[in-house]
Amino acid sequence: MQSTEPNPGAQVITTVDRRVQEVAEKAMEGKAGAIVVMDPRNGDVLAMVSTPASRSTAFTGTIDRNAWLRVMQDPNHPLLNRTIQSMYRRARCSRWSVAAAGCRKAR
């Protein structure tokens, strides 16, 4: 067995705002779709949600054939990351004002 010493990587800084992310996740509960909230001043991503999502633990180790077929045949496509793998029209500004009000209320 070969071992390689780790090399320090570059620092990663995320722009996700936990409160905005939580509001977006709650808004998407039980729905299929996506939410991406960006800061209009600089384009930072403040929240990103894609639903439904598959359980990440479902793919650790092995997965039996029937479980795989259920995931692949699910009409909600839980393996599709709608935030980066789908195209949608932009939301109207009125929707953004409602979302912003919801974020303020969550604080």
Side-chain angles (χ1 to χ4, degrees):
M1 178 181 266
Q2 182 179 352
S3 176
T4 304
E5 289 297 316
N7 294 325
Q11 184 177 16
V12 176
I13 299 172
T14 66
T15 58
V16 173
D17 181 314
R18 180 182 54 86
R19 293 176 304 223
V20 178
Q21 180 72 25
E22 288 172 352
V23 170
E25 288 176 6
K26 187 167 185 153
M28 291 303 297
E29 283 179 2
K31 299 178 179 100
I35 293 178
V36 178
V37 180
M38 297 175 70
D39 186 332
R41 297 170 294 179
N42 55 22
D44 286 353
V45 175
L46 303 177
M48 185 181 286
V49 178
S50 175
T51 58
S54 62
R55 294 183 348 263
S56 59
T57 58
F59 300 105
T60 56
T62 60
I63 182 170
D64 67 62
R65 178 176 167 70
N66 290 333
W68 176 250
L69 289 174
R70 279 193 304 275
V71 170
M72 294 305 294
Q73 294 170 351
D74 186 330
N76 289 315
H77 307 288
L79 296 180
L80 176 65
N81 184 337
R82 289 168 170 82
T83 61
I84 61 173
Q85 294 176 305
S86 297
M87 292 177 35
Y88 301 94
R89 292 190 341 235
R90 274 186 294 172
R92 294 187 351 237
C93 292
S94 61
R95 293 181 191 162
W96 289 107
S97 60
V98 171
C103 290
R104 280 194 210 103
K105 184 178 178 183
R107 289 183 184 177

